[in-house]
Amino acid sequence: MSNLAKTYDPKQIESKWYAFWEKGGFFTADATSQKPSYCIVIPPPNVTGVLHMGHALVDTIQDALIRRKRMQKFEALWIPGTDHAGIATQGVVEKMLFAKTGKRRKDFQREEFLKHAWSWKEESEEKILGQIRRLGCSCDWSRLQFTMNEQCNLAVRTCFKKMFDEKLIYRGDYLVNWDPATQTALSDDEVEHEDIQSSLWHIRYPLENGQGSVIVATTRPETMLGDTAVAVHPEDERYKSLIGQKIRLPLTDRLIPIIADPFVDPSFGSGAVKITPAHDFNDFEVGHRHELPFINIMTPDGRMNENGGKFANLSMEKAREKVVEELQKHAFLEKIEPHSLRIGRSYRSKAIVQPYLSKQWFVKMSLFKKTLLEAIQTQDVLLTPPHWEATYTHWIENLRDWCISRQLWWGHQIPIWYHVKDSNRLICYDGKGLPPEVEKEPTSWIQDPDVLDTWFSSALWPLSTLGWPNKTEDFQKFYPTSTLVTAHDILFFWVARMIMMGEYITGKPPFNEVFLHGLIYGKSYWKTAPDGSAIYIQEEEKKEYDLGKPIPSNIESKWEKMSKTKGNVIDPLSMIDSYGTDALRFTLCFSTTHARQIDLDLRRFEEFKNFANKIWNGFRFVMMNVEDLSESDLMKPLAFETLQLEDKWILSILNKTIEEINDAFDHYAFDKLSSRAYEFFWNDFCSIFVELSKPVLFGKVGTIEDKIQKQKLLLIVLVNAIRLLHPIAPFITEEIFQTIKAQFPLIFQKISDPYTEELLTALLSSACIVAPFPKVIRSSDMSHLIEEDFAFMNELVRQVRNIRMQMQIPPSEKTPLHIIGNLNNPEFQKVQKYPHILLSLTPTIEIYWNEDKPNTFGSEAMVGSISLFIPIPESFKEKEKQRLFKEKEKLEKQIEQTQNKLKNPEFCAKAPKEIVQNLQNALTAAQTQIQEITLKLDDLCKR
């Protein structure tokens, strides 16, 4: 095995094994299998561009889950696909066409525009799927889906008609969240809220009888042109006598009534509020209760319409300025006060959302509330982390009807046709093509031009991807799916709606468990400009700070959501090119806690690239030292009666690690499972067990049987370790597995030793991707006593290294070690049983057993009742003397500074008691240390 490369090169490995897995059909699930099923549907990435780090995270987590279940002999299916992403994709296609042709969307016929959109989809999807493959994702590509393909469209039309026929879908004039930039309605959860500093305008509304006026406070003075009433609280004594009277709307000739409604807060402003039913959600409800007129004053692109009079065609922002000017001019403006205001912005265009009255299609949500709440309360759907249950419940309890229509061209066109002569006569059709009535009279019918909200088709994703509404083998085998993995910010957009649709259509939730991971944040750095704005640091300079370069005092930094303008975006493909896919995946898993935010540290990628090399070097060492292990020797049972302490310890730790990693997988604790796998391979296996095996492997101690035993144990631990690592780091582990398998072409036979039998079973697998995932091999081998004994010996090793480090003795300089204690002491006798551990793990030339410290200069440390003493080599005495002098000087300065503080009565009087006490304790400790150093120096100078 000397031909193995000295370092791991992911570029030489990754494409080879992905092609092997795909060609070998390892990703393809069998719906007719008798194995238990495990199914994940991918959160489909939008066909708007390339994958970002959030996609890399969610896909890595899903792949880790699916690979483990495949190895656990489940029929594991991971369905890939992409999302048409209505608003987002139409937006990028419009920009692309305008840049190429100078034409806007409405300059094209609908079908022509959609051809361009489909072309964009094909190009973008090809890139995205290639990137998913580069991440190592073991998706079943034979089942690739798209939210607008024929299968998904059939599911959408079937569901829409079912809900329409059952009066769960309706159309009506309704106040919606309107995005004036994209000119479409938004559902509540497509609106992002933010607090801004604005104003509260107090406007004088004159009474019709000329006997005074009512002061009305508003945050949106421009909408007064759509006012149809002024409302007061029915119990407000200030206005009781005015209820029922009329007032004159400023800047117009209209008279509007003063009405009483309990929704009015008497403490807000003057206690009187303007009612604009067509432009405010509360006013909309008031308008219906009091049968008020609804006057729309806005065009779809966010300008004043003809109802705005002389303000027509102005943007709403400009209209506000002009309306305020006119109010001031005509003495209607009483005063203006600063006011903090919460506004909504479109989650896509970032435009300010306007309440807007329009005809839209809605789903009645009130009937689904109970089902949605019970799914979580009864744990039919288990949310992890569980703290999201309260957030979910709060949202469901405050549901409003879901606006499902969008004024777009790209998407599922609503399957409703209207008769051109009678708009109340309509057809809802779920079949392919046109309804029969429309085919008979094509000129008499017109299809609703709107499309469905993207989330409507996404809500059906677990159903449509498995073949519903058809009763397919996939649907029978894999529905409900097993686990959904997604970011917590689409808990309501997507997760709740999938639960709703799954329960509605099948009576079962679409998945059993949901893991909600945090959002990825990057470190941003900026300088503050003279005007107070932030100048963000980009690219190479930023990377230097990310990797540990000291940050100057004039530069600030913090973790923020990734943004190109802030320069804190980390591109997953660049990380793959620089560090390898396994390092990227390990970094993402290691960083995924149950917190809402994931701070992605660039240094982790380098750390896990180094870990990949450690895995490779550990494997390489083992293979170079088992070349002479014959097949017959490998098949012999382990001789448990001859196992050394370190052998028993590694088997105990191996079983314990297997148990811990399986438990972490079951609880979606990806940070814990990746850190435990890392610690086990690097520390327990390589740094300790491999080092302790070397004297036996190299023939310095033990018999040939001892060597065979060590060789087998190395293989047992290594093959278990790479299978534990495989779900996170699939490429390097497959390369290692196949190399070991080629070295030991075995025929299975029953063996009494469970460790050897498990090893042979694993190596008989055709690939690591389908090798059995480790489970506890023999729980009785997990021994606290063994681990305690070994921990005691390991602490001795640590202290020996510390003594040598204090005396600055390099690893190349071997020293004797004196173990001092009562010869009958159990701890002393324990060390005498295992001297090879100290000799193997420290540069110790020989161990001496003493009851008294030798009469020579050196350093010592206590471990329990045992004293460890290392004499200083003659050549290091002068160096040690200088070190002790420097340490003494440092302590003397520290003592002087502390004493000066404690002698200061003003400081002692003002400082908190605990700080004074801490200083006194530090002084005592420093004085003790200086006494010890003085004694050492005296001793050293005598010799």
Side-chain angles (χ1 to χ4, degrees), residues 649-665:
W649 171 79
I650 198 66
L651 291 179
S652 180
I653 292 295
L654 172 63
N655 280 291
K656 192 174 177 181
T657 300
I658 290 169
E659 184 177 65
E660 288 172 354
I661 288 178
N662 276 298
D663 183 69
F665 259 116

Side-chain angles (χ1 to χ4, degrees), residues 27-41 66 74-79 140 143 462-463 465-467 472-483 508-512:
F27 303 162
T28 307
D30 179 6
T32 65
S33 163
Q34 296 303 304
K35 294 179 187 175
S37 66
Y38 184 84
C39 180
I40 296 176
V41 290
I66 210 80
F74 282 75
E75 195 60 45
L77 170 60
W78 185 14
I79 301 176
D140 187 340
R143 289 172 164 93
L463 297 155
T465 53
L466 291 171
T472 63
E473 287 184 332
D474 277 1
F475 191 79
Q476 300 291 335
K477 175 73 175 176
F478 295 107
Y479 189 89
T481 65
S482 308
T483 302
K508 297 176 184 176
F511 29 71
N512 302 319

Side-chain angles (χ1 to χ4, degrees), residues 108-120:
F108 294 90
Q109 293 294 316
R110 184 171 185 148
E111 290 308 312
E112 185 186 2
F113 177 84
L114 289 177
K115 282 181 183 177
H116 289 293
W118 276 103
S119 177
W120 170 276

Side-chain angles (χ1 to χ4, degrees), residues 7 33 91 101 191 326 349 413 451 454 572 610 704 711 768 784 827 842 856:
T7 57
S33 163
T101 67
V191 178
E326 287 293 307
S349 72
Q413 195 167 351
V451 301
T454 298
N610 293 339
I704 188 65
Q711 289 174 317
C768 192
H784 290 300
E827 287 185 335
T842 66
T856 183

Side-chain angles (χ1 to χ4, degrees), residues 177 186-195 342-353 489 493 561:
N177 301 302
L186 302 174
S187 61
D188 289 347
D189 39 20
E190 290 173 311
V191 178
E192 296 174 343
H193 293 92
E194 65 178 72
D195 294 318
R342 177 156 253 227
I343 63 166
R345 289 192 183 274
S346 166
Y347 84 115
R348 286 294 181 196
S349 72
K350 304 306 176 187
I352 293 177
V353 170
D489 61 336
F493 279 109
K561 279 188 181 180

